[in-house]
Structure formats: C-alpha cells, structure tokens
Amino acid sequence: MTPTQPLSRDALKAQAKRLRKALEAEGNFISHGEALELLAHQMGHRDWNTLSAKAGNRPDTPLAVGGRVSGHYLGQRFDADIIGLQSVSSGSGGWRVSLDLDAAVDVVKFDGFSNMRRRINGTVGRDGRSVARTSDGTPHVQLSLR
C-alpha cells in the first residue's frame, strides 16, 4: 500500500534504515547506501538520487503506512500499525487512517455485551484528534503524534 502523500527525505531514510535492519536480522548485511538504492528500486525509481529529488525538502509527516502509532480509541489506550493513510485536503488538512491494533478494544460501554475490534478507521486532523466525537465530547480517535 502506498501513501497518497509522498514521503519526505527523512522518512525515506528511516524506511531504508528499517529495511537494512530487517535484512541484517536474516543474515544479509548491506550498507546504508545499498539500502537506499534498494528502497528506490522498490518504489519504482532508477536510483536513490532520483527518489531523493522527487521527495524534495517537504516537511516530514508524523504518519506513514507501515509506521507505529499509539493513542486512544473511544477512551481506550492502544498501540497499532498504520495499514492505510490518505491525505485529507478539506479544512486544515489531516489524514484518513486505518489502524491494525496490537490488542483488540471493546467499542461498547454497556456491561451486558462486548464488541471487540482490532481494525479501526478514522479521520484525524493535524493534531491527531478526530472531528467525530462521543456523546460526552471525547474524540473517537486521539493519536499521540511526535
């Protein structure tokens, strides 16, 4: 899955670093430069210089597909992988996120039954909070952004 918003150069370098560590864990040792080149090829570019030029100097976004995030969903704490990300252009911007939670959360507050979810979707603003709110005014999704 590819984010709709191109990654920054810093995010690409971090991704190459994760690739290098993953390969190293399997016994395949490569340099950081080789990881950058592999990443560029994987993303459909001729080489790292071409990908780097495309990334330009845009500011880093705190979210990226494959990244980790923590926060609260309906008042319950979670840690999750970002499995989908789409930039939202209306208003002050933000993202539509799809998350795969490490542990399921109960989305029902009634004691009589439960409805556990491990995958959630939401639209959050640049502050990591959703516009959608519960009846007491708490945002449905609150992400901890760095």
Side-chain angles (χ1 to χ4, degrees), residues 1-7 42-43 54 64-65 83-87:
M1 195 174 297
T2 307
T4 56
Q5 184 174 3
L7 297 174
Q42 183 180 11
M43 297 181 87
K54 182 177 180 192
V65 172
I83 58 173
L85 183 66
Q86 182 178 13
S87 180

Side-chain angles (χ1 to χ4, degrees), residues 18-97:
R18 287 190 302 272
L19 173 63
R20 181 179 178 203
K21 285 186 179 200
L23 289 171
E24 187 175 303
E26 296 175 357
N28 299 310
F29 298 93
I30 63 171
S31 70
H32 184 65
E34 289 170 319
L36 292 170
E37 293 295 327
L38 281 172
L39 179 64
H41 290 250
Q42 183 180 11
M43 297 181 87
H45 298 280
R46 185 180 51 145
D47 56 24
W48 166 249
N49 289 336
T50 305
L51 177 58
S52 178
K54 182 177 180 192
N57 290 327
R58 76 178 50 86
D60 199 9
T61 60
L63 303 173
V65 172
R68 297 281 299 163
V69 69
S70 61
H72 290 84
Y73 180 66
L74 298 176
Q76 299 176 67
R77 178 145 175 37
F78 69 82
D79 293 304
D81 292 317
I82 300 172
I83 58 173
L85 183 66
Q86 182 178 13
S87 180
V88 177
S89 59
S90 63
S92 63
W95 306 275
R96 172 112 176 110
V97 296

Side-chain angles (χ1 to χ4, degrees), residues 74 76 104-117:
L74 298 176
Q76 299 176 67
V105 296
D106 191 354
V107 298
V108 178
K109 290 193 177 190
F110 181 66
D111 291 334
F113 68 96
S114 295
N115 184 4
M116 305 300 282
R117 285 198 189 157

